[in-house]
Amino acid sequence: MAKQKKGKADDGGLREQLRVPSGPVDLTTYDTRATPGFSGSKDEGKVALEGLEAEVSDWQERLFAEGRKDGERSVLLVLQGMDTSGKGGVIRHGAGLMDPQGLKITSFKAPTAAEKRRGFLWRIKQALPSEGMIGIFDRSHYEDVLIARVRNLVTPNVWNRRYDQINDFEAELDAHGVTIVKCYLHISQEEQKVRLQARLDDPTKHWKYNPGDVDERELWPDYMDAYHAAIERCNTPEAPWYVIPSDRKWYRNWAVTTILLETLRSLDPQWPQADYDIDTEKKRLAAT
Amino acid sequence: MAKQKKGKADDGGLREQLRVPSGPVDLTTYDTRATPGFSGSKDEGKVALEGLEAEVSDWQERLFAEGRKDGERSVLLVLQGMDTSGKGGVIRHGAGLMDPQGLKITSFKAPTAAEKRRGFLWRIKQALPSEGMIGIFDRSHYEDVLIARVRNLVTPNVWNRRYDQINDFEAELDAHGVTIVKCYLHISQEEQKVRLQARLDDPTKHWKYNPGDVDERELWPDYMDAYHAAIERCNTPEAPWYVIPSDRKWYRNWAVTTILLETLRSLDPQWPQADYDIDTEKKRLAAT
């Protein structure tokens, strides 16, 4: 690992550090409380996150501007993780630093019958970001190889085919200018218990709790198996997976936002050139 | 006018101050540089805006929570104004204080042929906020009695009927739990010239400039006539118009956000009660 700087990603970039290597995946080997690439405290982490606002907003506006002219590029951030892992928190505190006009956020619940009839990717395609936008998926097509597999919502034959279908789909998106960033927010089973407990203890959080959350929790090992398969089989150069240690909320928010920032930086969108004659327009305006 | 407090709306509420009285409307009688309800400086105005973040976010989350349970209510903020009046700026700096997950922002451009065939309200209805959401329209169905009237895009007979159609539509929304807040961002013709000039002078703003902006600018008096008619004829108790003096960007952002805050406050959404037995769930969770 390269040297670390306080409050900053190290020189190699956070993406390099958190990117899942190809090959078999075993999430139990990851420390959910670790803070790779960041050596400061919680308070320093919060300050560091705020410190990303100016740069990430600037890149976002450049991408947006590009999309308003000839640009075809967009970014799609896919957030996955067990209940309480903080998908909503990342959107609120990380994406919330950016201009909401440039964000297209979609939260996927259980598909309706009408959606199921159209195939599992149909509703995903409806929600893709258009040119210049940053799309964010709170859950995604990966649920169709996660809960669908764990809960036997479809036959093994059906979910087994979906990994390749997802890879084909994501490769096609990449070929059409959609840069895909997939983050698995990794919490421990113990941390989930603490967070569910907090939802039961705090009346302002009761609405976030669902008795079904405990049912899912009881299937933790099955979900981990399903995540191992999903991450391993759909970890492509075009659409890589990142594992974000997420027991520390401040680190999780900083890390995902930093990965998004590094992604925008590497896209390097430029302010569009004027497609009109500037001097002519100045004279026209002056005459009004 | 009631007494003013520094950095705060006065006791009567900003809505009361900026709400357009019923009867004939003459925008030339409004001072576009005024700062009604705020007696501080520009810097104090920016601080005051930031100071709204905690409360407006809290109400937004309560509304969102309500919508996730049985609630049917939502808010729709309609932003109208001449080019450069700052519709985008209000969204970025005002709405940007809130959680983007609870916002549904739609920017309306010239309608496509497919949209026109469906009637002018069709695409508007597609973009309405669902339960618990705050919808924001950057331009709206009002363009269909503004540019459509000024530019003779439809016959007078057609646009003339639209005022009543809009009132019926908005009354129906109100009856279904959509609280409508319509803000006209009022800039002077001189201020628009300064802002268009700035877009021509700054390469990072060239993409925001369109030669058509000057064409529209030349029709300023016609647009004011169209705004007078729109505001007068569609200024209903269910869907009132507010005129926001907008030559000062900081005031504009603070004023619209304050009106939104007062609206949320008056809706007074409450954290939903648990629809499960809390003790049972605590025991179930403890057993995992």
Side-chain angles (χ1 to χ4, degrees):
Chain A
M1 200 162 77
K3 65 181 187 297
Q4 295 191 349
K5 290 178 194 159
K6 213 161 199 175
K8 286 182 100 174
D10 71 12
D11 293 345
L14 193 63
R15 288 188 297 176
E16 218 168 277
Q17 280 190 68
L18 298 186
R19 165 114 204 238
V20 179
S22 61
V25 173
D26 180 0
L27 289 166
T28 64
T29 65
Y30 287 81
D31 178 1
T32 54
R33 293 189 67 78
T35 61
F38 195 92
S39 55
S41 66
K42 173 177 176 173
D43 284 346
E44 287 170 324
K46 288 185 175 185
V47 170
L49 176 63
E50 293 300 320
L52 302 179
E53 177 167 0
E55 194 189 345
V56 79
S57 294
D58 183 64
W59 286 119
Q60 181 203 21
E61 192 179 5
R62 286 166 180 255
L63 182 70
F64 185 81
E66 181 188 281
R68 288 284 289 273
K69 298 295 177 183
D70 295 331
E72 291 184 349
R73 299 189 298 179
S74 63
V75 170
L76 176 60
L77 174 65
V78 173
L79 298 173
Q80 284 287 159
M82 299 295 286
D83 283 332
T84 77
S85 61
K87 301 176 289 293
V90 164
I91 299 174
R92 181 170 191 159
H93 299 288
L97 297 176
M98 291 182 282
D99 187 338
Q101 292 169 100
L103 303 176
K104 182 176 170 70
I105 301 166
T106 310
S107 176
F108 291 98
K109 311 290 176 197
T112 64
E115 286 171 341
K116 282 189 217 168
R117 272 198 297 278
R118 288 163 171 80
F120 77 105
L121 290 173
W122 180 82
R123 64 176 188 157
I124 304 298
K125 291 176 183 175
Q126 308 302 307
L128 291 171
S130 51
E131 312 80 49
M133 298 289 283
I134 297 175
I136 304 180
F137 285 176
D138 174 351
R139 303 190 187 272
S140 66
H141 44 298
Y142 282 95
E143 293 297 326
D144 299 290
V145 289
L146 293 164
I147 192 169
R149 169 176 161 152
V150 171
R151 289 285 184 184
N152 301 306
L153 302 182
V154 293
T155 64
N157 191 35
V158 169
W159 58 251
N160 237 316
R161 279 201 309 266
R162 287 181 174 169
Y163 300 100
D164 285 344
Q165 290 166 348
I166 288 174
N167 286 336
D168 289 348
F169 167 62
E170 292 181 350
E172 193 180 11
L173 290 184
D174 177 71
H176 288 87
V178 185
T179 297
I180 304 168
V181 176
K182 300 182 295 196
C183 292
Y184 169 67
L185 309 183
H186 191 26
I187 55 168
S188 66
Q189 207 172 352
E190 297 69 39
E191 178 67 17
Q192 190 195 51
K193 191 169 191 169
V194 171
R195 294 185 186 180
L196 287 173
Q197 186 69 48
R199 291 183 180 182
L200 287 168
D201 289 340
D202 180 351
T204 75
K205 290 182 178 169
H206 283 168
W207 65 279
K208 292 186 179 184
Y209 180 89
N210 187 315
D213 297 346
V214 171
D215 302 331
E216 297 304 301
R217 176 174 167 75
E218 286 169 345
L219 298 168
W220 192 278
D222 297 336
Y223 273 103
M224 287 303 109
D225 286 346
Y227 266 112
H228 290 156
I231 295 175
E232 180 182 334
R233 295 179 65 177
C234 300
N235 190 23
T236 61
E238 303 86 35
W241 272 107
Y242 301 93
V243 170
I244 316 292
S246 296
D247 278 2
R248 298 178 198 266
K249 295 176 182 175
W250 63 267
Y251 174 78
R252 173 201 72 201
N253 296 340
W254 173 84
V256 175
T257 309
T258 297
I259 286 174
L260 195 57
L261 173 57
E262 290 178 359
T263 302
L264 289 166
R265 214 186 262 155
S266 67
L267 289 177
D268 195 26
Q270 299 298 311
W271 296 112
Q273 301 278 312
D275 49 10
Y276 47 83
D277 185 73
I278 295 168
D279 286 335
T280 304
E281 293 305 318
K282 284 186 178 174
K283 280 176 204 144
R284 287 183 66 219
L285 179 61
T288 63
Chain B
M1 201 160 79
K3 66 180 186 299
Q4 296 190 349
K5 289 178 195 160
K6 214 162 198 176
K8 286 183 102 173
D10 71 13
D11 293 346
L14 194 62
R15 288 189 297 176
E16 219 168 277
Q17 281 189 69
L18 297 186
R19 164 114 204 238
V20 179
S22 60
V25 174
D26 180 0
L27 289 167
T28 64
T29 65
Y30 287 82
D31 178 2
T32 54
R33 293 190 66 80
T35 62
F38 195 91
S39 55
S41 66
K42 174 176 176 173
D43 284 348
E44 287 169 323
K46 288 184 174 186
V47 171
L49 175 63
E50 294 301 320
L52 301 179
E53 177 166 0
E55 193 188 346
V56 79
S57 293
D58 183 64
W59 286 119
Q60 182 202 20
E61 192 179 5
R62 287 166 179 255
L63 183 69
F64 185 82
E66 181 189 281
R68 289 282 290 273
K69 298 295 175 183
D70 295 329
E72 292 184 347
R73 299 189 298 178
S74 63
V75 171
L76 176 59
L77 174 65
V78 173
L79 298 174
Q80 284 287 159
M82 299 295 286
D83 283 332
T84 77
S85 61
K87 300 175 291 291
V90 164
I91 299 173
R92 181 171 192 158
H93 300 287
L97 297 175
M98 291 182 282
D99 187 338
Q101 291 169 100
L103 303 177
K104 181 176 171 68
I105 300 167
T106 310
S107 175
F108 291 98
K109 311 291 178 196
T112 63
E115 286 171 341
K116 281 189 216 167
R117 274 198 297 278
R118 288 164 170 80
F120 77 105
L121 290 173
W122 180 82
R123 64 177 186 156
I124 305 298
K125 292 176 183 175
Q126 307 303 307
L128 291 171
S130 50
E131 312 80 49
M133 298 289 283
I134 297 175
I136 303 180
F137 285 177
D138 173 351
R139 303 189 187 272
S140 66
H141 43 297
Y142 282 95
E143 293 297 326
D144 299 289
V145 290
L146 292 164
I147 192 170
R149 169 176 163 152
V150 170
R151 288 284 184 184
N152 301 304
L153 303 181
V154 293
T155 64
N157 192 35
V158 170
W159 58 250
N160 236 317
R161 279 202 308 269
R162 287 180 174 169
Y163 300 99
D164 285 344
Q165 290 166 349
I166 288 174
N167 287 336
D168 289 348
F169 166 62
E170 292 181 350
E172 193 181 10
L173 291 184
D174 177 71
H176 288 87
V178 185
T179 297
I180 305 167
V181 176
K182 300 182 295 196
C183 291
Y184 169 67
L185 308 184
H186 190 25
I187 54 167
S188 66
Q189 206 172 351
E190 296 69 40
E191 178 67 17
Q192 190 195 52
K193 192 171 191 169
V194 170
R195 294 185 185 179
L196 286 173
Q197 185 69 48
R199 291 183 178 181
L200 287 168
D201 289 340
D202 181 351
T204 74
K205 290 182 177 168
H206 284 168
W207 65 279
K208 292 187 179 184
Y209 180 89
N210 186 314
D213 297 346
V214 171
D215 302 331
E216 297 304 299
R217 175 173 167 77
E218 285 169 346
L219 297 169
W220 191 278
D222 297 336
Y223 273 103
M224 289 302 109
D225 286 347
Y227 267 110
H228 291 156
I231 296 175
E232 182 182 332
R233 294 179 65 178
C234 300
N235 191 23
T236 61
E238 303 86 35
W241 271 106
Y242 301 93
V243 171
I244 315 292
S246 296
D247 279 2
R248 299 179 197 265
K249 295 176 182 176
W250 63 266
Y251 174 77
R252 172 201 72 201
N253 295 342
W254 173 83
V256 176
T257 309
T258 298
I259 286 174
L260 195 56
L261 173 57
E262 289 178 0
T263 302
L264 289 166
R265 214 186 261 155
S266 67
L267 289 176
D268 195 27
Q270 299 298 313
W271 297 112
Q273 302 278 313
D275 49 9
Y276 48 82
D277 186 72
I278 295 168
D279 286 335
T280 305
E281 294 304 318
K282 284 185 178 175
K283 281 177 202 140
R284 287 184 66 219
L285 178 62
T288 62

